[in-house]
Amino acid sequence: MRLFVAVLPPEPALQDLEDFMAPRWEAGRALRWTQPYQWHVTLAFFPEVADRHLDDLGERLTRAAAKRHPFELSLGGGGAFPDPVGARVLWCGVHPTFPARHDPPWRPGHDAATELDRLAVGSRAAGAKAGAAVAAGRFSPHVTLARLPRPANVTAWLTVLSAYQGPLWPVTGISLIESQLGQGPHRRPRYQLLGQYPVGARGD
């Protein structure tokens, strides 16, 4: 199976981003736009997982998520991979923060960006320990908005995205999802939710 672990934005956050992007899709016909059901923040990608490893993987993801402090995210701004002038992927930015009121108090120097990074590290470690193949690469939180069939300059799109700032929402858990290539609408991937794991309230 082809799996990934992700933070899934709630419906109000998805709708807010869709309301901003939908009027602009027609202007970007050369881009292969992703659809709202595909929008997520990938923490770990497992290109190959055997069925026999699923139970162990779920148990390890449960523990990894429980170790982390709850935090909030918002979507806003944008960027491109590998760079704006030769882009292959256009994305929306991810901005983690701690709630204004929180219990327990956070340690000095402890920030929500670190918490998100550690959630990604824990998810990748859970996959590796469960025997899954884990994709390499530096964690760079984002929501993919479009893919380009060939490298292109998307500087103008980054200017458009700089005007977007979505609502804050609490990250209450992480999700394990199977990606079935070509099985969704218009030969897009079809996603199947396999498990959800609550983010705990205790530090490590």
Side-chain angles (χ1 to χ4, degrees):
M1 290 181 290
R2 187 173 186 266
L3 309 180
F4 62 88
V5 181
V7 173
L8 301 181
E11 184 58 35
L14 294 175
Q15 188 62 60
D16 192 81
L17 181 56
E18 182 178 3
D19 289 345
F20 180 83
M21 292 303 304
R24 297 166 170 84
W25 284 335
E26 186 66 21
R29 294 183 182 180
L31 283 70
R32 295 199 295 261
W33 296 104
T34 57
Q35 297 302 300
Y37 83 89
Q38 298 175 280
W39 292 343
H40 61 269
V41 183
T42 301
L43 300 174
F45 175 53
F46 311 135
E48 188 175 348
V49 182
D51 287 355
R52 66 182 183 275
H53 296 317
L54 274 181
D55 288 345
D56 188 25
L57 176 57
E59 292 174 3
R60 293 181 183 278
L61 287 172
T62 297
R63 294 196 294 270
K67 290 180 179 179
R68 306 273 42 100
H69 288 296
F71 56 96
E72 295 180 330
L73 287 182
S74 63
L75 305 179
F81 296 137
D83 58 69
V85 297
R88 297 302 299 266
V89 174
L90 178 69
W91 47 263
C92 186
V94 174
H95 306 287
T97 184
F98 283 134
R101 296 177 60 85
H102 44 71
D103 184 28
W106 312 120
R107 298 185 299 272
H110 190 71
D111 59 46
T114 299
E115 202 64 27
L116 179 59
D117 287 343
R118 290 178 178 176
L119 194 56
V121 169
S123 298
R124 295 181 183 198
K129 292 175 182 177
V134 182
R138 183 174 62 88
F139 175 57
S140 181
H142 66 280
V143 172
T144 298
L145 296 178
R147 294 181 174 85
L148 288 78
R150 60 186 62 84
N153 189 328
V154 296
T155 304
W157 283 106
L158 299 191
T159 300
V160 171
L161 287 169
S162 68
Y164 178 71
Q165 180 59 57
L168 271 174
W169 40 276
V171 175
T172 58
I174 61 176
S175 300
L176 179 65
I177 298 168
E178 180 181 5
S179 175
Q180 301 171 343
L181 294 179
Q183 300 301 307
H186 306 290
R187 300 192 62 79
R188 292 186 175 95
R190 183 168 77 90
Y191 294 157
Q192 181 177 350
L193 180 65
L194 300 182
Q196 293 180 300
Y197 314 97
V199 172
R202 59 187 177 84
D204 53 359

